[in-house]
Amino acid sequence: MSSTDPQRHTRQRARILDAAARCFSRYGFQGASMARICADAEMSPGHLYHYFPHKKALIEAMIVRELEEVHARFEGLRDAPDVVEGLLALIEGGRGWTDEQNRLMLEVMAEAARNPAVGDILRHHHAAITTLVAECLAAGQARGQVEPSLDPEVTAAMLQAVVDGAVARQVRAPALDPDRWIDHLKHLYGRMLRPSGNAS
Amino acid sequence: MSSTDPQRHTRQRARILDAAARCFSRYGFQGASMARICADAEMSPGHLYHYFPHKKALIEAMIVRELEEVHARFEGLRDAPDVVEGLLALIEGGRGWTDEQNRLMLEVMAEAARNPAVGDILRHHHAAITTLVAECLAAGQARGQVEPSLDPEVTAAMLQAVVDGAVARQVRAPALDPDRWIDHLKHLYGRMLRPSGNAS
Amino acid sequence: MSSTDPQRHTRQRARILDAAARCFSRYGFQGASMARICADAEMSPGHLYHYFPHKKALIEAMIVRELEEVHARFEGLRDAPDVVEGLLALIEGGRGWTDEQNRLMLEVMAEAARNPAVGDILRHHHAAITTLVAECLAAGQARGQVEPSLDPEVTAAMLQAVVDGAVARQVRAPALDPDRWIDHLKHLYGRMLRPSGNAS
Amino acid sequence: MSSTDPQRHTRQRARILDAAARCFSRYGFQGASMARICADAEMSPGHLYHYFPHKKALIEAMIVRELEEVHARFEGLRDAPDVVEGLLALIEGGRGWTDEQNRLMLEVMAEAARNPAVGDILRHHHAAITTLVAECLAAGQARGQVEPSLDPEVTAAMLQAVVDGAVARQVRAPALDPDRWIDHLKHLYGRMLRPSGNAS
DNA sequence: TATGAATGAGTCTTCATTCAT
DNA sequence: CATGAATGAAGACTCATTCAT
């Protein structure tokens, strides 16, 4: 009986999304053809269209998955005893980002800037992270770990801008020693967040 | 003699580059068809190809022009009596960036990440600005305006990351009050750069 | 299993090659547009490109098929009891060549003269026929059917030059009575090949 | 005063026709663009169109010039004391044909097969040469230099077929030693033409 | 579930030709 | 006579998508 096997369904979707991520990061959303993605996923076009009705749907699903993974990295912040240490650890974690992820994020940003649907996805995700980080920052201020004059919301947005800047840096200055860069970033970011007079 | 009029030639190229910038920012490099650019430039395809041999050439010329304009904004830094003030003024200037420029920069970053030719253009331009800013920072350190422990080169790279982050922010959080954002940015950036104990 | 049906595949290729031969003979390789060939093959361009990746590939495949057909006509020579009779029969067979085949051969020759890939195909095919004919001529010499002083290889090349000349004649002098022409050709060719003193 | 200078006019036309011959032989009639021919003739398109109203006109003018040159080579036949020697000398002269001329002839034949206008030019020229050669052959028969049973007209057509075959051979078997080939050709052709029992 | 044949609009690019200067 | 800017209709080829099997 060909009754639906949800597990298999999910596995197939994942296989497609993996292939899509690989292709999109290499060729961009428009540059990656469905045929290429099919080949990469070792699947016929007809079959792939069984799982995603449009290219648009595939792009959006892939973006959502990607952003959820990013979100997951921020969740840990809630349990960090020291918020600032937690945020610095997140920056430290940027060291592990692959080129594929970097390229994908840049592609997502560019697409979000012109495609309202993608823009909404990004903004929704951004708002979720911003809220999370802002809450943590406010808690940190209550505990005296964070400079009290900082606006938590804007500061949370800043963190994400720093991440975007770091992603861009990998393209702009790939030769720059990552250790020097990340150390510098952590040093300055620490100085920013901690109460005045409390250098890292 | 009816030999070529170089002025007209330059004007035509500019007309095309303007149309290209508009189209690329709206649809992306791949999404903008030559036909559309032609229509926007009010020019036949054959004529456009008289000025640019490829779409690639058009893209690259447009990118170079865009980046040179960015570079020009940084040149003023040399004459600023206080480097930090100069840099903060640059951040302040980001307020004037149009959506078109923002989108274009995002598209350029995404393209640079996968297209080596574009990547090289970006890196070359980035290096030029980095050198310029680093020199100004070093001079500022000599004059006691800038925290002496900062590495000028990495700090210059940081500035550009901040700009990239600000560009991304416009997509991520367009609702965020630009005044709040820019003030915050200037405040923190000032704290980063000025000698310790010298809050803005 | 609905895996590829190789028979259908072959039939489709044949359909395309037929259309291509018709169009190429009418308009030349460059003059025949893929769109026209598609229309002739009653097939969409996308579908045609499913079978041939380039126009070049289509041209070459068609040429190979055409030349193989020519080659096949020569194969019979091996079984002819009298080589000279066999060769004269081949010339006689030229009567049956269609205009399409003639035009195609002329187009192939012209293309082979400037396109190395096509040139190689032609030369490879030419060498195969030359070898075949030369062997038959040598055997004929051993049997006393062919003038012994003739160099088999060059004489085989001569035969093909005669064929090329006959193809050209159809263009140069279509009004010339084919019977008169072919009879003349056979007469002279026979005189050439047979041992001296043995007029046809 | 810009009054017409017919000499200059002729020289310009020649310059264009030279460039056209070069380009057509390299790329074919369709493959050679007017722009390329202009570049080769060091002339602007507007100027070139002053001399030839169409590409078609240029092609036809070039073909006529080419064929007239061929015709000129045959004119000498009239003064030859021995027709057969004269014809053999013509074959011998084929040794001097350049690749450009060869390719051009092949292109002309292919074009003549499908383009009625070009076909007519070729046939007109062919008829002129045929008449010339046939007359010489008839005179030769009267003088006992040529086998009397040969039909002069068909034999004249044969000569031209031999030339076409020789042109094709240069493409089919460029490696074949030209000396061997031409000697063979002359030997056989002599045997064909001379009265029976009169080997070369 | 899975295949891949099939479509046709759309992409970039070329080219013969015209025209203002 | 001479230039080269300008046109726009093709040309080869691609690709998202559908559908019969």
Side-chain angles (χ1 to χ4, degrees), chain D residues 116-148:
Chain D
V118 170
D120 287 345
I121 294 173
L122 177 70
R123 282 184 284 279
H124 177 269
H125 149 90
H126 173 85
I129 291 187
T130 300
T131 305
L132 164 58
V133 173
E135 283 172 12
C136 293
L137 283 172
Q141 285 173 325
R143 274 178 270 149
Q145 297 166 341
V146 174
E147 163 70 26

Side-chain angles (χ1 to χ4, degrees), chain B residues 4 8 12 44 46-47 50-51:
Chain B
T4 324
R8 176 170 188 73
Q12 293 280 51
S44 68
H47 196 23
H50 199 69
Y51 293 94

Side-chain angles (χ1 to χ4, degrees), chain A residues 5 16 28-29 31 89 101 109 142 148 159 164 199:
Chain A
D5 173 353
I16 295 170
F29 290 137
Q101 287 172 308
M109 297 303 309
L159 172 63
D164 289 331

Side-chain angles (χ1 to χ4, degrees), chain D residues 65-81:
Chain D
R65 195 181 69 161
E66 206 66 20
L67 293 182
E68 274 169 1
E69 201 187 313
V70 172
H71 189 122
R73 284 201 279 267
F74 281 82
E75 276 300 346
L77 200 59
R78 283 217 160 89
D79 308 322

